[in-house]
Amino acid sequence: MKGFEAFRVAFDALRGNRLRSLLTMLGIIIGIAAVIVVVSIGAGARDQIESQVEGLGSNLVLVVPGQLDTANPGQGAAAASPLQVSDGRVLGDVVGDDAAVTARISSAAEVRAGSRESYVTVQGSDQNLPYVFTRPVAEGEFFTQGDVDTRQRVAVLGSVTSQVLFAGADPVGRQITLAGTRFRVVGVLAEQGESFGVSQDNEVHIPITTAQRLFGIDRVDAFAVKAPSAADVPALSRGLRQALREEYPDQEFSAVTQTQILGVIGDILGLLTAVLASIAGISLLVGGVGVSNIMLVSVRERTKEIGLRKALGARQRDVLTQFLVEAVLLTSVGGVIGIVVGVGGSLLVNGLSPLPAKVEWWSPVVAFVVSAAVGIFFGVFPARRAGRLDPVVALRTD
Amino acid sequence: MTAPAPSGVDGPATSGPAIEAVDVTRSYDLGGTVVDALQGVSFVVEEGEYAAIVGPSGSGKSTLMHLLGCLDRPTSGVLRVGGRDVLELDDSELADLRNREVGFVFQSFQLLPRSTALDNVGLPLLYRGTKRAERRELAEASLRAVGLGHRLTHRPNQMSGGEQQRVAIARALVGRPRILLADEPTGNLDTRNGAEVMRILEELNAEQGVAVVLVTHDDEVAGRARRQVRVRDGRVERDTALEARPAGPAGDAPAGAGPAAAGEPGARHVAGQQA
């Protein structure tokens, strides 16, 4: 019996039992659809994060205290920071441009303007931030070196914070209260967008010296350094760490680049996606067991038919092929439906929920191959049983 | 016209007897107890013969039919079907031999319920690798030969029992086998339909030269054959050649009236064990 004929016979058999075929497929449909949606969300999240990290610029180096092992995230420990604002000058000497270095500490606080209030990220930084992070000022001015040196209580708002506190009115020159202290707004940054579903525009920038006093700390969390070009990044990273080690002989420092962050994020998301897809894949396995079960029932029900086919000249191989093709047809049709549902579901998630989802071209292909493989794997046992039936016994069965 | 032996994979066509059984035994091992269903059966079915195997239930006639139909292999002895020694064939070759040499007609018709008459009849050809168009063509010709040219696309549940059995006969003959094995072919039919089925079998035997072997306990049916092989307790008890009956008005004969314990009409002389 040729392959095509086997497909025709199998198709007729499945069509003759429509409801049962559909219910059997359901396990495969759900499994395949779930895996595709999970993989799509993983891919969408990775893409979004990557584009945001890339937004940092490929020539940005973050200098942080402690040994961060980017190859094994979670292994290294961030040490208590020994960094001081004055270290910015040391780093500036390494890169050859003081303006290419900006210090940073981060905290969070409640901010009020009149009767409006909001909970925001407070970034303590210096006058170099707009240049180093490429964040243009939309209104007013960024604070100056003088403001930093003299601990002025001035603030630059993110675009969202500005909107929340002043509802479209020009905030420059107005007063805000940050953690109980009054600040004068001197500027508003241009819109930046979201990262990880959190707005980067809902923040308030104040001079780092002011922030240190406001939050009662005398350290700097990190420095961001802008390399002249992406090609200078590796050499610059070494130079920066070297310079800081000379400054603090007992301490380790790490220079984190965009490439490293991308690598780490890719690894973490890949692992997370794999774990979630495996969990979804379990339902595929359960679906496969269902197919096996139904095929066994089908073999038993059709014992007489098998006996007849053998009496008419069907070989063991013909009967085996017939039932195997039936199982594969069942799972691959289920797979195709699952792909349609999964792709549709991914598009819905992308459109209707905050989660990003992106259907990779290979995921439907892999899904189809896997569903067919599930059919073969779970179909072989019932099909062999059918093929081995003794025609005399099979014909006698009622 | 004799049934043409198919050429090719089957090896050389032989012109010997259709079936040749020499001292065939078949034992079943039923969990320690060995049951000898057949205890040394020998007989020959020539090409184009019309024979009936009769005997009470438990006599071994079903086992014998399974052996003749290559559904089973003997425990010992020699069984040649279409010139091939059954014991020398593996499962695939045996399936092929069944496909080419034997046509089955069962008491309960055994049609695939969801398939049309055409598809049912074409089934043996499917396992021979015949192309779909040719299958349909041959199946249609075979259905017309049993007078069912108007029932080609009907399904079994749309046909009467007699029609269903005629579809089964068309299926048995579509591959032009040398032997047609009919197991109680009239067992599920009323008298009129039974007679019609018998008439068709006789006609095919006479016109196409296919050897017909009936297995039955209906003396009326058995009496129409030209030879009766009576099986009892796993042995051939009697092998009787009967006078050829004219294929006359069979239909209205009353079905075997009495139980006819031992003496059956027509068994007038006992022939030798083998022809």
Side-chain angles (χ1 to χ4, degrees), chain A residues 50-331:
Chain A
E50 279 181 359
S51 74
Q52 280 158 1
V53 172
E54 274 162 6
L56 293 176
S58 57
N59 49 358
L60 195 72
V61 181
L62 288 172
V63 181
V64 293
Q67 180 100 52
L68 286 187
D69 186 352
T70 48
N72 295 295
Q75 294 283 307
S81 174
L83 294 172
Q84 304 287 327
V85 173
S86 57
D87 292 328
R89 225 158 278 130
V90 175
L91 298 176
D93 289 344
V94 175
V95 69
D97 178 5
D98 278 353
V101 179
T102 183
R104 155 168 297 196
I105 60 173
S106 295
S107 189
E110 200 176 67
V111 61
R112 269 205 318 259
S115 60
R116 294 163 180 267
E117 56 180 51
S118 177
Y119 197 73
V120 297
T121 304
V122 179
Q123 302 279 16
S125 56
D126 56 39
Q127 70 283 355
N128 295 333
L129 179 136
Y131 169 70
V132 173
F133 284 99
T134 321
R135 296 204 55 180
V137 179
E139 293 171 59
E141 303 271 325
F142 206 76
F143 44 78
T144 63
Q145 183 170 5
D147 293 331
V148 176
D149 290 346
T150 55
R151 291 189 180 139
Q152 290 299 310
R153 292 198 292 273
V154 289
V156 176
L157 306 182
S159 60
V160 168
T161 310
S162 167
Q163 188 65 33
V164 168
L165 294 179
F166 296 101
D170 184 2
V172 176
R174 308 275 293 266
Q175 297 281 324
I176 58 171
T177 307
L178 188 63
T181 306
R182 295 174 77 82
F183 281 75
R184 184 167 48 91
V185 178
V186 295
V188 178
L189 289 172
E191 193 179 325
Q192 176 83 358
E194 290 191 345
S195 173
F196 305 91
V198 177
S199 171
Q200 288 197 300
D201 299 314
N202 193 19
E203 51 186 25
V204 174
H205 297 262
I206 58 176
I208 187 163
T209 47
T210 317
Q212 284 177 328
R213 173 171 289 177
L214 187 66
F215 297 119
I217 46 178
D218 56 356
R219 308 291 183 193
V220 173
D221 287 345
F223 284 96
V225 181
K226 190 170 194 170
S229 77
D232 297 323
V233 166
L236 183 62
S237 299
R238 281 194 298 276
L240 294 170
R241 287 171 57 200
Q242 183 62 32
L244 285 177
R245 258 205 302 268
E246 282 169 14
E247 208 67 19
Y248 304 96
D250 305 337
Q251 295 283 334
E252 283 290 341
F253 296 93
S254 301
V256 183
T257 63
Q258 173 194 294
T259 320
Q260 288 173 318
I261 297 175
L262 285 183
V264 173
I265 289 175
D267 287 351
I268 294 173
L269 275 177
L271 190 70
L272 204 64
T273 305
V275 168
L276 288 176
S278 310
I279 294 171
I282 289 175
S283 68
L284 201 59
L285 214 64
V286 174
V289 173
V291 169
S292 209
N293 188 22
I294 287 297
M295 290 309 295
L296 281 174
V297 171
S298 182
V299 168
R300 175 158 297 185
E301 262 182 14
R302 286 151 70 193
T303 299
K304 220 166 185 172
E305 176 195 324
I306 295 163
L308 172 73
R309 287 180 184 272
K310 286 199 145 186
L312 298 183
R315 284 157 296 190
Q316 192 165 321
R317 182 161 24 106
D318 293 323
V319 175
L320 187 145
T321 306
Q322 182 189 332
F323 279 88
L324 197 55
V325 166
E326 220 174 288
V328 171
L329 201 62
L330 206 53
T331 58

Side-chain angles (χ1 to χ4, degrees), chain B residues 18-34:
Chain B
I19 299 174
E20 190 179 4
V22 182
D23 201 21
V24 165
T25 70
R26 180 70 173 98
S27 312
Y28 296 99
D29 189 350
L30 301 177
T33 343
V34 175

